[in-house]
Amino acid sequence: NGRSTRGSVATLTLTEPSPEASRELHMPAAPATSDDHKKEGNELFAKGDFLRAAAAYTRGIKAAPDSHVLYSNRAQAFLRLHKVGKALEDADRCIALAPDFVKGYHRKASALHALGEPARSEEAAELLLGAIERGMEDRELVRLGVTVGGKAFAARLDAFRKAAAPVAPEEGDKPAAPPPPAKKAAPPSAAAKEAPPTAAAAAKGPTEQSLSEGLGEQLPWEAPPEDFAAGCLQPILKRFLAEGLVSLPAVVYLQPAPPAKGSREEPSLGQISIKPAFASPSTLAQCADFLQGKAAEARARSAVLFVRKAAGRALQCV
């Protein structure tokens, strides 16, 4: 265009694009993979955006229709959205694709129980017990089973475990081995001699001191439950970093109630070791009742439970 205007000339110049720019213009963007959609869904789920997370998992399923993990994840998102029917459908599809995938049974049992019907809850307990009997022994399945089926589930699981336990072979006429010589008890160490008379007293001092470090200027009974949980977690993480998995406890901390008006005595931190509770499903069910009673007795504002999810896995805070 070389047309002249009064006092000026407008010029249009065309240049040929470089080979690199030409390739970029004609190169289509790589389509997102099922893993990309799953990662996006997981990030949205962690933020509490369950609706968009479910949509991301749906796109992943379109890219990989046989991914049992995506069906499991979408079922969990549907559960959070209270779309129980859709969650149940996805859980069934997950189990059909991967019959040995533990989370598929966890998702289906959760959906059945969420329907709010006693018969469906019984079906959920039967499903979990059947999965465990087929060799899918998992702490999460046991916990859900106790939640859904209560002491009846725990009793049935105990009976199954006892029936499945190997029977010791008979010794026949072999003479019994002589008992090992009794070992002399080791003298108490200096640290043991100086220890306070009760384990509760030994745990109280350093625990409350560590908690005060985690809470900063907040008093334990004034802190929001989330801050109280974070304050309890800090000393446990320090021990974990210093000593490894072997130092991780199974413990419940009870957030104390505010002191009574006019009282000068500060409420103490409640600390209960629950390691023995995991010996069997029946003791786990009894422990839940025991903890509820202790929390009510102490008028606890909140209860923070720390347990290892499974052998070799990280700590879980509830």
Side-chain angles (χ1 to χ4, degrees):
N1 184 357
R3 291 184 296 172
S4 298
T5 61
R6 185 179 296 176
S8 65
V9 177
T11 305
L12 176 65
T13 305
L14 298 176
T15 59
E16 184 177 353
S18 65
E20 292 79 8
S22 179
R23 281 196 298 271
E24 290 178 2
L25 289 171
H26 292 86
M27 184 178 295
T33 65
S34 62
D35 285 340
D36 294 332
H37 294 305
K38 182 178 74 171
K39 181 180 178 182
E40 179 190 2
N42 291 347
E43 291 172 353
L44 290 167
F45 189 96
K47 295 176 182 177
D49 194 345
F50 306 123
L51 184 61
R52 292 177 62 199
Y57 295 138
T58 299
R59 291 192 292 273
I61 289 171
K62 289 180 179 178
D66 294 332
S67 173
H68 62 281
V69 174
L70 284 168
Y71 279 104
S72 170
N73 289 4
R74 192 172 69 172
Q76 183 72 341
F78 281 148
L79 280 171
R80 294 299 183 91
L81 293 167
H82 305 290
K83 297 182 178 180
V84 181
K86 291 186 175 181
L88 190 56
E89 290 176 5
D90 276 0
D92 279 331
R93 181 61 178 158
C94 174
I95 293 172
L97 289 169
D100 295 329
F101 187 59
V102 170
K103 286 186 178 179
Y105 297 91
H106 194 284
R107 303 286 187 257
K108 181 172 181 177
S110 298
L112 288 169
H113 185 54
L115 290 171
E117 302 171 9
R120 290 295 205 167
S121 293
E122 178 63 26
E123 184 181 347
E126 291 288 343
L127 175 76
L128 294 168
L129 191 62
I132 294 170
E133 289 176 352
R134 289 196 297 275
M136 283 175 277
E137 183 81 18
D138 181 84
R139 184 173 293 179
E140 295 298 326
L141 293 186
V142 173
R143 280 201 192 116
L144 182 58
V146 172
T147 300
V148 170
K151 294 180 180 180
F153 177 89
R156 291 181 61 187
L157 185 57
D158 268 348
F160 162 72
R161 285 175 170 170
K162 288 176 183 177
V167 179
E170 295 184 2
E171 293 294 329
D173 297 330
K174 287 179 63 178
K183 294 182 179 179
K184 293 183 178 181
S189 63
K193 291 179 181 178
E194 297 175 1
T198 64
K204 179 179 176 182
T207 301
E208 292 190 345
Q209 180 181 358
S210 303
L211 179 61
S212 65
E213 293 174 2
L215 290 176
E217 298 181 357
Q218 297 184 93
L219 296 173
W221 53 89
E222 293 179 347
E226 295 81 4
D227 291 351
F228 175 75
C232 293
L233 181 60
Q234 284 192 26
I236 293 178
L237 288 179
K238 286 182 180 179
R239 284 180 57 190
F240 167 66
L241 293 174
E243 304 173 24
L245 283 171
V246 74
S247 68
L248 293 180
V251 65
V252 173
Y253 294 105
L254 299 178
Q255 183 179 11
K261 188 174 182 180
S263 174
R264 296 183 178 181
E265 184 178 351
E266 292 189 354
S268 60
L269 174 69
Q271 178 181 352
I272 305 170
S273 173
I274 57 170
K275 186 176 181 180
F278 297 98
S280 71
S282 59
T283 56
L284 185 61
Q286 294 169 10
C287 177
D289 295 338
F290 171 77
L291 291 176
Q292 287 179 353
K294 280 293 182 183
E297 179 185 335
R299 296 187 303 113
R301 293 192 61 205
S302 66
V304 184
L305 185 147
F306 293 99
V307 292
R308 283 171 60 177
K309 292 184 68 175
R313 294 186 184 176
L315 193 72
Q316 183 175 24
C317 168
V318 179

